[in-house]
Amino acid sequence: MWWWDARVTTLFQRNLQPTLTYWSVFFSFGLCIAFLGPTLLDLRCQTQTSLAQITWVFFSQQFCLLVGSCLGGVFKRTQV
Protein backbone atom coordinates (compact mmCIF):
# COMPACT_ATOMS: atom_id res chain seq x y z
CA MET A 1 0.00 0.00 0.00
CA TRP A 2 1.59 3.20 -1.15
CA TRP A 3 0.02 5.40 1.54
CA TRP A 4 1.02 3.21 4.49
CA ASP A 5 4.56 4.11 5.49
CA ALA A 6 6.55 4.43 8.70
CA ARG A 7 4.95 7.80 9.55
CA VAL A 8 1.46 6.33 9.49
CA THR A 9 2.55 3.38 11.62
CA THR A 10 4.23 5.66 14.15
CA LEU A 11 1.22 7.96 14.28
CA PHE A 12 -1.14 5.03 14.77
CA GLN A 13 1.01 3.50 17.52
CA ARG A 14 1.30 6.83 19.31
CA ASN A 15 -2.49 7.34 19.24
CA LEU A 16 -3.60 3.74 19.72
CA GLN A 17 -5.41 4.23 23.05
CA PRO A 18 -7.46 7.30 21.99
CA THR A 19 -8.27 5.64 18.65
CA LEU A 20 -9.55 2.47 20.28
CA THR A 21 -11.47 4.49 22.86
CA TYR A 22 -13.23 6.58 20.21
CA TRP A 23 -13.94 3.48 18.14
CA SER A 24 -15.46 1.58 21.06
CA VAL A 25 -17.59 4.55 22.16
CA PHE A 26 -19.03 5.15 18.70
CA PHE A 27 -19.48 1.41 18.08
CA SER A 28 -21.42 0.91 21.31
CA PHE A 29 -23.44 4.09 20.72
CA GLY A 30 -24.32 2.86 17.24
CA LEU A 31 -25.48 -0.46 18.63
CA CYS A 32 -27.66 1.29 21.20
CA ILE A 33 -29.30 3.39 18.49
CA ALA A 34 -29.62 0.53 15.99
CA PHE A 35 -31.58 -1.84 18.18
CA LEU A 36 -34.46 0.65 18.52
CA GLY A 37 -35.51 0.41 14.88
CA PRO A 38 -36.74 -3.20 14.86
CA THR A 39 -38.62 -2.66 18.11
CA LEU A 40 -40.70 0.19 16.70
CA LEU A 41 -43.86 -1.82 16.14
CA ASP A 42 -43.62 -3.62 19.50
CA LEU A 43 -43.15 -0.31 21.27
CA ARG A 44 -46.20 1.07 19.47
CA CYS A 45 -48.30 -1.88 20.66
CA GLN A 46 -47.08 -1.62 24.24
CA THR A 47 -47.74 2.11 24.49
CA GLN A 48 -51.01 1.87 22.53
CA THR A 49 -50.14 4.76 20.24
CA SER A 50 -50.37 5.16 16.48
CA LEU A 51 -47.44 4.55 14.20
CA ALA A 52 -47.30 8.26 13.32
CA GLN A 53 -47.00 9.22 16.99
CA ILE A 54 -44.27 6.72 17.79
CA THR A 55 -42.21 7.69 14.74
CA TRP A 56 -42.13 11.28 16.01
CA VAL A 57 -40.35 10.00 19.10
CA PHE A 58 -37.64 8.41 16.98
CA PHE A 59 -37.43 11.38 14.63
CA SER A 60 -37.02 13.84 17.49
CA GLN A 61 -34.34 11.66 19.07
CA GLN A 62 -32.33 11.49 15.85
CA PHE A 63 -32.86 15.17 15.08
CA CYS A 64 -31.63 16.22 18.52
CA LEU A 65 -28.66 13.89 18.11
CA LEU A 66 -27.81 15.57 14.81
CA VAL A 67 -28.14 19.09 16.22
CA GLY A 68 -26.15 18.20 19.33
CA SER A 69 -23.37 16.62 17.28
CA CYS A 70 -23.16 19.65 14.99
CA LEU A 71 -23.08 22.09 17.90
CA GLY A 72 -20.54 19.96 19.75
CA GLY A 73 -18.33 19.89 16.66
CA VAL A 74 -18.54 23.67 16.22
CA PHE A 75 -17.70 24.38 19.86
CA LYS A 76 -14.91 21.81 19.90
CA ARG A 77 -13.42 23.32 16.75
CA THR A 78 -13.60 26.90 18.05
CA GLN A 79 -11.99 26.04 21.41
CA VAL A 80 -8.82 24.54 19.93
Side-chain angles (χ1 to χ4, degrees), residues 1-2 9-12 15 17 21 27 35 45 50-51 53 58 64 78-79:
M1 291 180 274
W2 60 270
T9 303
T10 304
L11 184 64
F12 182 72
N15 297 307
Q17 194 268 336
T21 301
F27 182 76
F35 87 91
C45 290
S50 68
L51 188 60
Q53 290 173 327
F58 286 92
C64 290
T78 57
Q79 292 179 359

Side-chain angles (χ1 to χ4, degrees), residues 35-45 47 51 54-55 58:
F35 87 91
L36 293 175
T39 63
L40 183 67
L41 295 176
D42 291 334
L43 184 62
R44 180 184 63 93
C45 290
T47 57
L51 188 60
I54 203 71
T55 52
F58 286 92

